[in-house]
Amino acid sequence: KQEVTQIPAALSVPEGENLVLNCSFTDSAIYNLQWFRQDPGKGLTSLLLIQSSQREQTSGRLNASLDKSSGRSTLYIAASQPGDSATYLCAVDDQGGSEKLVFGKGTKLTVNP
Amino acid sequence: KAGVTQTPRYLIKTRGQQVTLSCSPISGHRSVSWYQQTPGQGLQFLFEYFSETQRNKGNFPGRFSGRQFSNSRSEMNVSTLELGDSALYLCASRRGTESYEQYFGPGTRLTVT
C-alpha cells in the first residue's frame, strides 16, 4: 500500500528565504507526482506535475524534483514571500489512471514579513 | 473559464441523516473524482466517475455513494451520517482519462452533530 510522508509538518521562515519541502513515498512504481497548495478553508491548487520520466519541473519561483529510485521529491521555493503561506501537499499516482491520488498530510508553511 | 464548483459550501447535519453534495466540473471535463479531507487522515480518495461510470473506488463503507450525469455533473451521497463523517469534501475534475492534471473545487464543509 502506497504511503506518502511529508516532513516537516510545519515550517516558519522569514521573508526572502529559500526553502525546501520534502515528500517521500514507499512504492517507487509511480506514474507521476503532483505538488498542490491549499489555503485555509479552500480547495487545492495544482502547482507542478512531474511525470515518471521526468526529473524536475519548474514554474516561476518553484522547482520540483523527483527521484523515483529513492522514493523522494522536493519542492524548492526561492525568495519566499508572505503570500506563499499555505499548506503544501504532494500526491502520487501509482495506478496510471491519475484519478486516484495518494496524498501526504502536507507541510504548513508560514512566511513571516 | 469557470473552475470546479461545489454546492453547498457549508452543511450541518445530524447523526443518522443523509446528505447529497454536488460538483460541477470545468466545462469539457468528463472525469470527476471525490476526496474526503480530515485533520487525522488527510486527503483520502472516495471514487471517480467518467462518462457516468464509476471507474475506481476508495476504501469507504457503502454509505458513501455517488453518480454522474450526462452533463458530467456529479453528486455524492452519504447515508446514515456518523460524527466521523465531518470533513471537507473535495471534488476534482480533469478532461479525460488521458489527462494527468486534476483541478479541485473549493470543497463542501460537512459538520455532523
Side-chain angles (χ1 to χ4, degrees), chain B residues 23-58:
Chain B
C23 172
S24 293
I26 292 172
S27 178
H29 286 197
R30 296 166 61 194
S31 167
V32 174
S33 300
W34 288 89
Y35 292 82
Q36 180 196 64
Q37 186 176 32
T38 59
Q41 299 298 318
L43 271 152
Q44 293 183 287
F45 173 80
L46 281 157
F47 30 64
E48 190 242 5
Y49 286 86
F50 177 77
S51 293
E52 303 179 64
T53 301
Q54 186 180 92
R55 291 184 69 235
N56 205 339
K57 192 176 190 304

PDB file of all heavy atoms in Angstrom, chain B residues 23-58:
ATOM      1  N   CYS B  23     -21.208  18.572  -7.443  1.00  0.00           N
ATOM      2  CA  CYS B  23     -19.970  19.056  -8.039  1.00  0.00           C
ATOM      3  C   CYS B  23     -20.188  19.272  -9.531  1.00  0.00           C
ATOM      4  O   CYS B  23     -20.622  18.358 -10.241  1.00  0.00           O
ATOM      5  CB  CYS B  23     -18.845  18.041  -7.825  1.00  0.00           C
ATOM      6  SG  CYS B  23     -17.312  18.412  -8.714  1.00  0.00           S
ATOM      7  N   SER B  24     -19.858  20.475 -10.002  1.00  0.00           N
ATOM      8  CA  SER B  24     -19.912  20.758 -11.435  1.00  0.00           C
ATOM      9  C   SER B  24     -18.492  20.930 -11.946  1.00  0.00           C
ATOM     10  O   SER B  24     -17.787  21.839 -11.497  1.00  0.00           O
ATOM     11  CB  SER B  24     -20.730  22.025 -11.721  1.00  0.00           C
ATOM     12  OG  SER B  24     -22.086  21.816 -11.407  1.00  0.00           O
ATOM     13  N   PRO B  25     -18.040  20.059 -12.853  1.00  0.00           N
ATOM     14  CA  PRO B  25     -16.658  20.142 -13.330  1.00  0.00           C
ATOM     15  C   PRO B  25     -16.456  21.307 -14.287  1.00  0.00           C
ATOM     16  O   PRO B  25     -17.416  21.953 -14.708  1.00  0.00           O
ATOM     17  CB  PRO B  25     -16.468  18.806 -14.052  1.00  0.00           C
ATOM     18  CG  PRO B  25     -17.842  18.477 -14.560  1.00  0.00           C
ATOM     19  CD  PRO B  25     -18.783  18.977 -13.495  1.00  0.00           C
ATOM     20  N   ILE B  26     -15.204  21.536 -14.625  1.00  0.00           N
ATOM     21  CA  ILE B  26     -14.865  22.528 -15.636  1.00  0.00           C
ATOM     22  C   ILE B  26     -15.497  22.093 -16.955  1.00  0.00           C
ATOM     23  O   ILE B  26     -15.533  20.894 -17.268  1.00  0.00           O
ATOM     24  CB  ILE B  26     -13.338  22.652 -15.772  1.00  0.00           C
ATOM     25  CG1 ILE B  26     -12.763  23.274 -14.493  1.00  0.00           C
ATOM     26  CG2 ILE B  26     -12.943  23.466 -16.990  1.00  0.00           C
ATOM     27  CD1 ILE B  26     -11.247  23.271 -14.432  1.00  0.00           C
ATOM     28  N   SER B  27     -16.005  23.059 -17.698  1.00  0.00           N
ATOM     29  CA  SER B  27     -16.639  22.742 -18.968  1.00  0.00           C
ATOM     30  C   SER B  27     -15.691  21.940 -19.863  1.00  0.00           C
ATOM     31  O   SER B  27     -14.524  22.300 -20.048  1.00  0.00           O
ATOM     32  CB  SER B  27     -17.023  24.056 -19.678  1.00  0.00           C
ATOM     33  OG  SER B  27     -17.604  23.788 -20.932  1.00  0.00           O
ATOM     34  N   GLY B  28     -16.209  20.826 -20.375  1.00  0.00           N
ATOM     35  CA  GLY B  28     -15.393  19.980 -21.233  1.00  0.00           C
ATOM     36  C   GLY B  28     -14.700  18.849 -20.506  1.00  0.00           C
ATOM     37  O   GLY B  28     -14.182  17.923 -21.130  1.00  0.00           O
ATOM     38  N   HIS B  29     -14.669  18.914 -19.194  1.00  0.00           N
ATOM     39  CA  HIS B  29     -14.064  17.833 -18.399  1.00  0.00           C
ATOM     40  C   HIS B  29     -15.088  16.730 -18.180  1.00  0.00           C
ATOM     41  O   HIS B  29     -16.234  16.995 -17.812  1.00  0.00           O
ATOM     42  CB  HIS B  29     -13.570  18.362 -17.052  1.00  0.00           C
ATOM     43  CG  HIS B  29     -12.324  19.178 -17.159  1.00  0.00           C
ATOM     44  ND1 HIS B  29     -11.535  19.462 -16.061  1.00  0.00           N
ATOM     45  CD2 HIS B  29     -11.714  19.748 -18.227  1.00  0.00           C
ATOM     46  CE1 HIS B  29     -10.501  20.179 -16.463  1.00  0.00           C
ATOM     47  NE2 HIS B  29     -10.602  20.375 -17.766  1.00  0.00           N
ATOM     48  N   ARG B  30     -14.651  15.493 -18.346  1.00  0.00           N
ATOM     49  CA  ARG B  30     -15.585  14.372 -18.241  1.00  0.00           C
ATOM     50  C   ARG B  30     -15.317  13.480 -17.032  1.00  0.00           C
ATOM     51  O   ARG B  30     -16.080  12.573 -16.746  1.00  0.00           O
ATOM     52  CB  ARG B  30     -15.513  13.552 -19.532  1.00  0.00           C
ATOM     53  CG  ARG B  30     -15.962  14.328 -20.766  1.00  0.00           C
ATOM     54  CD  ARG B  30     -15.572  13.616 -22.042  1.00  0.00           C
ATOM     55  NE  ARG B  30     -16.195  12.307 -22.136  1.00  0.00           N
ATOM     56  CZ  ARG B  30     -15.827  11.377 -23.010  1.00  0.00           C
ATOM     57  NH1 ARG B  30     -14.815  11.610 -23.834  1.00  0.00           N
ATOM     58  NH2 ARG B  30     -16.448  10.219 -23.065  1.00  0.00           N
ATOM     59  N   SER B  31     -14.221  13.742 -16.353  1.00  0.00           N
ATOM     60  CA  SER B  31     -13.871  12.919 -15.189  1.00  0.00           C
ATOM     61  C   SER B  31     -14.036  13.739 -13.919  1.00  0.00           C
ATOM     62  O   SER B  31     -13.565  14.880 -13.832  1.00  0.00           O
ATOM     63  CB  SER B  31     -12.424  12.442 -15.317  1.00  0.00           C
ATOM     64  OG  SER B  31     -11.956  11.914 -14.094  1.00  0.00           O
ATOM     65  N   VAL B  32     -14.690  13.158 -12.941  1.00  0.00           N
ATOM     66  CA  VAL B  32     -14.858  13.799 -11.631  1.00  0.00           C
ATOM     67  C   VAL B  32     -14.451  12.813 -10.544  1.00  0.00           C
ATOM     68  O   VAL B  32     -14.909  11.673 -10.522  1.00  0.00           O
ATOM     69  CB  VAL B  32     -16.319  14.242 -11.400  1.00  0.00           C
ATOM     70  CG1 VAL B  32     -16.487  14.762  -9.967  1.00  0.00           C
ATOM     71  CG2 VAL B  32     -16.716  15.319 -12.401  1.00  0.00           C
ATOM     72  N   SER B  33     -13.582  13.272  -9.653  1.00  0.00           N
ATOM     73  CA  SER B  33     -13.151  12.458  -8.506  1.00  0.00           C
ATOM     74  C   SER B  33     -13.587  13.157  -7.224  1.00  0.00           C
ATOM     75  O   SER B  33     -13.660  14.383  -7.176  1.00  0.00           O
ATOM     76  CB  SER B  33     -11.630  12.288  -8.491  1.00  0.00           C
ATOM     77  OG  SER B  33     -11.180  11.652  -9.659  1.00  0.00           O
ATOM     78  N   TRP B  34     -13.817  12.366  -6.202  1.00  0.00           N
ATOM     79  CA  TRP B  34     -14.200  12.894  -4.897  1.00  0.00           C
ATOM     80  C   TRP B  34     -13.174  12.470  -3.855  1.00  0.00           C
ATOM     81  O   TRP B  34     -12.693  11.331  -3.863  1.00  0.00           O
ATOM     82  CB  TRP B  34     -15.575  12.366  -4.478  1.00  0.00           C
ATOM     83  CG  TRP B  34     -16.716  12.945  -5.246  1.00  0.00           C
ATOM     84  CD1 TRP B  34     -17.244  12.476  -6.416  1.00  0.00           C
ATOM     85  CD2 TRP B  34     -17.489  14.097  -4.887  1.00  0.00           C
ATOM     86  NE1 TRP B  34     -18.301  13.270  -6.810  1.00  0.00           N
ATOM     87  CE2 TRP B  34     -18.474  14.261  -5.886  1.00  0.00           C
ATOM     88  CE3 TRP B  34     -17.465  14.996  -3.822  1.00  0.00           C
ATOM     89  CZ2 TRP B  34     -19.415  15.294  -5.866  1.00  0.00           C
ATOM     90  CZ3 TRP B  34     -18.394  16.019  -3.786  1.00  0.00           C
ATOM     91  CH2 TRP B  34     -19.355  16.161  -4.799  1.00  0.00           C
ATOM     92  N   TYR B  35     -12.874  13.396  -2.937  1.00  0.00           N
ATOM     93  CA  TYR B  35     -11.941  13.146  -1.848  1.00  0.00           C
ATOM     94  C   TYR B  35     -12.536  13.643  -0.539  1.00  0.00           C
ATOM     95  O   TYR B  35     -13.270  14.631  -0.513  1.00  0.00           O
ATOM     96  CB  TYR B  35     -10.601  13.858  -2.081  1.00  0.00           C
ATOM     97  CG  TYR B  35      -9.784  13.318  -3.218  1.00  0.00           C
ATOM     98  CD1 TYR B  35     -10.028  13.700  -4.535  1.00  0.00           C
ATOM     99  CD2 TYR B  35      -8.750  12.413  -2.984  1.00  0.00           C
ATOM    100  CE1 TYR B  35      -9.276  13.202  -5.579  1.00  0.00           C
ATOM    101  CE2 TYR B  35      -7.981  11.910  -4.027  1.00  0.00           C
ATOM    102  CZ  TYR B  35      -8.253  12.314  -5.309  1.00  0.00           C
ATOM    103  OH  TYR B  35      -7.501  11.815  -6.345  1.00  0.00           O
ATOM    104  N   GLN B  36     -12.165  12.960   0.535  1.00  0.00           N
ATOM    105  CA  GLN B  36     -12.532  13.407   1.879  1.00  0.00           C
ATOM    106  C   GLN B  36     -11.274  13.894   2.582  1.00  0.00           C
ATOM    107  O   GLN B  36     -10.247  13.217   2.538  1.00  0.00           O
ATOM    108  CB  GLN B  36     -13.142  12.246   2.680  1.00  0.00           C
ATOM    109  CG  GLN B  36     -13.558  12.629   4.095  1.00  0.00           C
ATOM    110  CD  GLN B  36     -13.788  11.418   4.986  1.00  0.00           C
ATOM    111  OE1 GLN B  36     -12.858  10.664   5.264  1.00  0.00           O
ATOM    112  NE2 GLN B  36     -15.030  11.223   5.423  1.00  0.00           N
ATOM    113  N   GLN B  37     -11.346  15.059   3.208  1.00  0.00           N
ATOM    114  CA  GLN B  37     -10.186  15.576   3.934  1.00  0.00           C
ATOM    115  C   GLN B  37     -10.541  15.795   5.395  1.00  0.00           C
ATOM    116  O   GLN B  37     -11.468  16.545   5.723  1.00  0.00           O
ATOM    117  CB  GLN B  37      -9.686  16.888   3.327  1.00  0.00           C
ATOM    118  CG  GLN B  37      -8.401  17.395   3.960  1.00  0.00           C
ATOM    119  CD  GLN B  37      -7.862  18.649   3.297  1.00  0.00           C
ATOM    120  OE1 GLN B  37      -8.619  19.470   2.796  1.00  0.00           O
ATOM    121  NE2 GLN B  37      -6.540  18.793   3.279  1.00  0.00           N
ATOM    122  N   THR B  38      -9.814  15.124   6.279  1.00  0.00           N
ATOM    123  CA  THR B  38      -9.975  15.299   7.718  1.00  0.00           C
ATOM    124  C   THR B  38      -8.615  15.578   8.335  1.00  0.00           C
ATOM    125  O   THR B  38      -7.581  15.188   7.763  1.00  0.00           O
ATOM    126  CB  THR B  38     -10.565  14.035   8.382  1.00  0.00           C
ATOM    127  OG1 THR B  38      -9.684  12.928   8.138  1.00  0.00           O
ATOM    128  CG2 THR B  38     -11.952  13.726   7.846  1.00  0.00           C
ATOM    129  N   PRO B  39      -8.587  16.227   9.494  1.00  0.00           N
ATOM    130  CA  PRO B  39      -7.292  16.518  10.133  1.00  0.00           C
ATOM    131  C   PRO B  39      -6.505  15.248  10.456  1.00  0.00           C
ATOM    132  O   PRO B  39      -5.290  15.232  10.338  1.00  0.00           O
ATOM    133  CB  PRO B  39      -7.687  17.266  11.406  1.00  0.00           C
ATOM    134  CG  PRO B  39      -9.019  17.873  11.094  1.00  0.00           C
ATOM    135  CD  PRO B  39      -9.697  16.871  10.204  1.00  0.00           C
ATOM    136  N   GLY B  40      -7.188  14.183  10.815  1.00  0.00           N
ATOM    137  CA  GLY B  40      -6.496  12.969  11.216  1.00  0.00           C
ATOM    138  C   GLY B  40      -6.001  12.124  10.062  1.00  0.00           C
ATOM    139  O   GLY B  40      -4.882  11.622  10.076  1.00  0.00           O
ATOM    140  N   GLN B  41      -6.816  11.960   9.051  1.00  0.00           N
ATOM    141  CA  GLN B  41      -6.494  11.067   7.926  1.00  0.00           C
ATOM    142  C   GLN B  41      -5.991  11.791   6.698  1.00  0.00           C
ATOM    143  O   GLN B  41      -5.492  11.157   5.762  1.00  0.00           O
ATOM    144  CB  GLN B  41      -7.732  10.254   7.543  1.00  0.00           C
ATOM    145  CG  GLN B  41      -8.259   9.358   8.652  1.00  0.00           C
ATOM    146  CD  GLN B  41      -7.241   8.316   9.043  1.00  0.00           C
ATOM    147  OE1 GLN B  41      -6.588   7.717   8.195  1.00  0.00           O
ATOM    148  NE2 GLN B  41      -7.086   8.100  10.349  1.00  0.00           N
ATOM    149  N   GLY B  42      -6.093  13.113   6.683  1.00  0.00           N
ATOM    150  CA  GLY B  42      -5.685  13.850   5.498  1.00  0.00           C
ATOM    151  C   GLY B  42      -6.678  13.645   4.360  1.00  0.00           C
ATOM    152  O   GLY B  42      -7.855  13.411   4.587  1.00  0.00           O
ATOM    153  N   LEU B  43      -6.160  13.727   3.150  1.00  0.00           N
ATOM    154  CA  LEU B  43      -6.995  13.563   1.956  1.00  0.00           C
ATOM    155  C   LEU B  43      -7.065  12.104   1.555  1.00  0.00           C
ATOM    156  O   LEU B  43      -6.045  11.459   1.348  1.00  0.00           O
ATOM    157  CB  LEU B  43      -6.406  14.358   0.791  1.00  0.00           C
ATOM    158  CG  LEU B  43      -6.859  15.797   0.666  1.00  0.00           C
ATOM    159  CD1 LEU B  43      -5.792  16.638   0.005  1.00  0.00           C
ATOM    160  CD2 LEU B  43      -8.132  15.860  -0.155  1.00  0.00           C
ATOM    161  N   GLN B  44      -8.281  11.604   1.409  1.00  0.00           N
ATOM    162  CA  GLN B  44      -8.468  10.219   1.018  1.00  0.00           C
ATOM    163  C   GLN B  44      -9.427  10.141  -0.167  1.00  0.00           C
ATOM    164  O   GLN B  44     -10.466  10.802  -0.172  1.00  0.00           O
ATOM    165  CB  GLN B  44      -9.016   9.399   2.185  1.00  0.00           C
ATOM    166  CG  GLN B  44      -8.029   9.258   3.338  1.00  0.00           C
ATOM    167  CD  GLN B  44      -8.603   8.363   4.427  1.00  0.00           C
ATOM    168  OE1 GLN B  44      -9.507   8.750   5.157  1.00  0.00           O
ATOM    169  NE2 GLN B  44      -8.073   7.159   4.523  1.00  0.00           N
ATOM    170  N   PHE B  45      -9.079   9.306  -1.117  1.00  0.00           N
ATOM    171  CA  PHE B  45      -9.855   9.137  -2.337  1.00  0.00           C
ATOM    172  C   PHE B  45     -11.147   8.371  -2.042  1.00  0.00           C
ATOM    173  O   PHE B  45     -11.127   7.330  -1.390  1.00  0.00           O
ATOM    174  CB  PHE B  45      -9.005   8.383  -3.357  1.00  0.00           C
ATOM    175  CG  PHE B  45      -9.715   7.990  -4.616  1.00  0.00           C
ATOM    176  CD1 PHE B  45      -9.925   8.905  -5.633  1.00  0.00           C
ATOM    177  CD2 PHE B  45     -10.163   6.687  -4.791  1.00  0.00           C
ATOM    178  CE1 PHE B  45     -10.562   8.532  -6.805  1.00  0.00           C
ATOM    179  CE2 PHE B  45     -10.805   6.301  -5.958  1.00  0.00           C
ATOM    180  CZ  PHE B  45     -10.999   7.227  -6.966  1.00  0.00           C
ATOM    181  N   LEU B  46     -12.259   8.926  -2.536  1.00  0.00           N
ATOM    182  CA  LEU B  46     -13.559   8.260  -2.381  1.00  0.00           C
ATOM    183  C   LEU B  46     -13.911   7.454  -3.618  1.00  0.00           C
ATOM    184  O   LEU B  46     -14.076   6.241  -3.564  1.00  0.00           O
ATOM    185  CB  LEU B  46     -14.645   9.298  -2.100  1.00  0.00           C
ATOM    186  CG  LEU B  46     -14.713   9.825  -0.659  1.00  0.00           C
ATOM    187  CD1 LEU B  46     -15.381  11.180  -0.623  1.00  0.00           C
ATOM    188  CD2 LEU B  46     -15.473   8.842   0.214  1.00  0.00           C
ATOM    189  N   PHE B  47     -14.081   8.123  -4.740  1.00  0.00           N
ATOM    190  CA  PHE B  47     -14.385   7.453  -6.002  1.00  0.00           C
ATOM    191  C   PHE B  47     -14.219   8.424  -7.156  1.00  0.00           C
ATOM    192  O   PHE B  47     -14.077   9.632  -6.961  1.00  0.00           O
ATOM    193  CB  PHE B  47     -15.803   6.848  -6.043  1.00  0.00           C
ATOM    194  CG  PHE B  47     -16.843   7.570  -5.229  1.00  0.00           C
ATOM    195  CD1 PHE B  47     -17.222   8.870  -5.517  1.00  0.00           C
ATOM    196  CD2 PHE B  47     -17.458   6.937  -4.154  1.00  0.00           C
ATOM    197  CE1 PHE B  47     -18.176   9.524  -4.763  1.00  0.00           C
ATOM    198  CE2 PHE B  47     -18.420   7.581  -3.394  1.00  0.00           C
ATOM    199  CZ  PHE B  47     -18.781   8.880  -3.695  1.00  0.00           C
ATOM    200  N   GLU B  48     -14.232   7.850  -8.363  1.00  0.00           N
ATOM    201  CA  GLU B  48     -14.091   8.629  -9.577  1.00  0.00           C
ATOM    202  C   GLU B  48     -15.109   8.171 -10.598  1.00  0.00           C
ATOM    203  O   GLU B  48     -15.388   6.972 -10.721  1.00  0.00           O
ATOM    204  CB  GLU B  48     -12.685   8.495 -10.176  1.00  0.00           C
ATOM    205  CG  GLU B  48     -12.430   9.486 -11.318  1.00  0.00           C
ATOM    206  CD  GLU B  48     -12.148   8.822 -12.644  1.00  0.00           C
ATOM    207  OE1 GLU B  48     -12.226   7.583 -12.756  1.00  0.00           O
ATOM    208  OE2 GLU B  48     -11.840   9.569 -13.607  1.00  0.00           O
ATOM    209  N   TYR B  49     -15.669   9.143 -11.304  1.00  0.00           N
ATOM    210  CA  TYR B  49     -16.621   8.859 -12.356  1.00  0.00           C
ATOM    211  C   TYR B  49     -16.120   9.425 -13.671  1.00  0.00           C
ATOM    212  O   TYR B  49     -15.542  10.528 -13.718  1.00  0.00           O
ATOM    213  CB  TYR B  49     -17.992   9.461 -12.024  1.00  0.00           C
ATOM    214  CG  TYR B  49     -18.712   8.699 -10.945  1.00  0.00           C
ATOM    215  CD1 TYR B  49     -18.482   8.982  -9.601  1.00  0.00           C
ATOM    216  CD2 TYR B  49     -19.574   7.653 -11.260  1.00  0.00           C
ATOM    217  CE1 TYR B  49     -19.108   8.262  -8.606  1.00  0.00           C
ATOM    218  CE2 TYR B  49     -20.208   6.930 -10.270  1.00  0.00           C
ATOM    219  CZ  TYR B  49     -19.967   7.239  -8.944  1.00  0.00           C
ATOM    220  OH  TYR B  49     -20.578   6.511  -7.961  1.00  0.00           O
ATOM    221  N   PHE B  50     -16.346   8.656 -14.702  1.00  0.00           N
ATOM    222  CA  PHE B  50     -16.008   9.095 -16.050  1.00  0.00           C
ATOM    223  C   PHE B  50     -17.111   8.630 -16.971  1.00  0.00           C
ATOM    224  O   PHE B  50     -17.444   7.441 -16.993  1.00  0.00           O
ATOM    225  CB  PHE B  50     -14.657   8.521 -16.495  1.00  0.00           C
ATOM    226  CG  PHE B  50     -14.269   8.876 -17.894  1.00  0.00           C
ATOM    227  CD1 PHE B  50     -13.779  10.131 -18.196  1.00  0.00           C
ATOM    228  CD2 PHE B  50     -14.413   7.953 -18.930  1.00  0.00           C
ATOM    229  CE1 PHE B  50     -13.434  10.473 -19.493  1.00  0.00           C
ATOM    230  CE2 PHE B  50     -14.065   8.280 -20.223  1.00  0.00           C
ATOM    231  CZ  PHE B  50     -13.574   9.544 -20.496  1.00  0.00           C
ATOM    232  N   SER B  51     -17.671   9.558 -17.716  1.00  0.00           N
ATOM    233  CA  SER B  51     -18.772   9.249 -18.622  1.00  0.00           C
ATOM    234  C   SER B  51     -19.855   8.429 -17.931  1.00  0.00           C
ATOM    235  O   SER B  51     -20.286   7.374 -18.423  1.00  0.00           O
ATOM    236  CB  SER B  51     -18.243   8.493 -19.862  1.00  0.00           C
ATOM    237  OG  SER B  51     -17.433   9.337 -20.634  1.00  0.00           O
ATOM    238  N   GLU B  52     -20.264   8.906 -16.776  1.00  0.00           N
ATOM    239  CA  GLU B  52     -21.379   8.349 -15.998  1.00  0.00           C
ATOM    240  C   GLU B  52     -21.080   6.984 -15.377  1.00  0.00           C
ATOM    241  O   GLU B  52     -21.997   6.357 -14.811  1.00  0.00           O
ATOM    242  CB  GLU B  52     -22.655   8.271 -16.859  1.00  0.00           C
ATOM    243  CG  GLU B  52     -23.078   9.613 -17.430  1.00  0.00           C
ATOM    244  CD  GLU B  52     -24.320   9.511 -18.290  1.00  0.00           C
ATOM    245  OE1 GLU B  52     -25.393   9.161 -17.763  1.00  0.00           O
ATOM    246  OE2 GLU B  52     -24.209   9.777 -19.521  1.00  0.00           O
ATOM    247  N   THR B  53     -19.838   6.526 -15.455  1.00  0.00           N
ATOM    248  CA  THR B  53     -19.482   5.210 -14.921  1.00  0.00           C
ATOM    249  C   THR B  53     -18.445   5.366 -13.808  1.00  0.00           C
ATOM    250  O   THR B  53     -17.487   6.123 -13.954  1.00  0.00           O
ATOM    251  CB  THR B  53     -18.909   4.304 -16.027  1.00  0.00           C
ATOM    252  OG1 THR B  53     -19.887   4.164 -17.060  1.00  0.00           O
ATOM    253  CG2 THR B  53     -18.541   2.934 -15.462  1.00  0.00           C
ATOM    254  N   GLN B  54     -18.633   4.628 -12.721  1.00  0.00           N
ATOM    255  CA  GLN B  54     -17.637   4.654 -11.654  1.00  0.00           C
ATOM    256  C   GLN B  54     -16.438   3.825 -12.084  1.00  0.00           C
ATOM    257  O   GLN B  54     -16.563   2.624 -12.342  1.00  0.00           O
ATOM    258  CB  GLN B  54     -18.223   4.101 -10.357  1.00  0.00           C
ATOM    259  CG  GLN B  54     -17.278   4.239  -9.161  1.00  0.00           C
ATOM    260  CD  GLN B  54     -17.889   3.681  -7.882  1.00  0.00           C
ATOM    261  OE1 GLN B  54     -17.714   2.513  -7.544  1.00  0.00           O
ATOM    262  NE2 GLN B  54     -18.626   4.517  -7.176  1.00  0.00           N
ATOM    263  N   ARG B  55     -15.279   4.440 -12.105  1.00  0.00           N
ATOM    264  CA  ARG B  55     -14.065   3.757 -12.589  1.00  0.00           C
ATOM    265  C   ARG B  55     -13.214   3.214 -11.450  1.00  0.00           C
ATOM    266  O   ARG B  55     -12.471   2.258 -11.627  1.00  0.00           O
ATOM    267  CB  ARG B  55     -13.215   4.695 -13.424  1.00  0.00           C
ATOM    268  CG  ARG B  55     -13.807   5.082 -14.755  1.00  0.00           C
ATOM    269  CD  ARG B  55     -12.835   5.937 -15.545  1.00  0.00           C
ATOM    270  NE  ARG B  55     -11.668   5.176 -15.988  1.00  0.00           N
ATOM    271  CZ  ARG B  55     -10.416   5.519 -15.736  1.00  0.00           C
ATOM    272  NH1 ARG B  55     -10.162   6.586 -15.039  1.00  0.00           N
ATOM    273  NH2 ARG B  55      -9.413   4.795 -16.193  1.00  0.00           N
ATOM    274  N   ASN B  56     -13.299   3.879 -10.308  1.00  0.00           N
ATOM    275  CA  ASN B  56     -12.440   3.473  -9.214  1.00  0.00           C
ATOM    276  C   ASN B  56     -13.090   3.884  -7.906  1.00  0.00           C
ATOM    277  O   ASN B  56     -13.835   4.875  -7.864  1.00  0.00           O
ATOM    278  CB  ASN B  56     -11.062   4.145  -9.349  1.00  0.00           C
ATOM    279  CG  ASN B  56      -9.953   3.358  -8.672  1.00  0.00           C
ATOM    280  OD1 ASN B  56     -10.211   2.532  -7.794  1.00  0.00           O
ATOM    281  ND2 ASN B  56      -8.732   3.607  -9.077  1.00  0.00           N
ATOM    282  N   LYS B  57     -12.828   3.126  -6.864  1.00  0.00           N
ATOM    283  CA  LYS B  57     -13.457   3.405  -5.574  1.00  0.00           C
ATOM    284  C   LYS B  57     -12.431   3.229  -4.469  1.00  0.00           C
ATOM    285  O   LYS B  57     -11.643   2.280  -4.507  1.00  0.00           O
ATOM    286  CB  LYS B  57     -14.639   2.461  -5.348  1.00  0.00           C
ATOM    287  CG  LYS B  57     -15.530   2.842  -4.174  1.00  0.00           C
ATOM    288  CD  LYS B  57     -16.724   1.891  -4.091  1.00  0.00           C
ATOM    289  CE  LYS B  57     -17.775   2.371  -3.100  1.00  0.00           C
ATOM    290  NZ  LYS B  57     -17.253   2.595  -1.746  1.00  0.00           N
ATOM    291  N   GLY B  58     -12.451   4.110  -3.493  1.00  0.00           N
ATOM    292  CA  GLY B  58     -11.556   4.012  -2.352  1.00  0.00           C
ATOM    293  C   GLY B  58     -12.138   3.116  -1.274  1.00  0.00           C
ATOM    294  O   GLY B  58     -13.191   2.505  -1.445  1.00  0.00           O
TER     295      GLY B  58
END
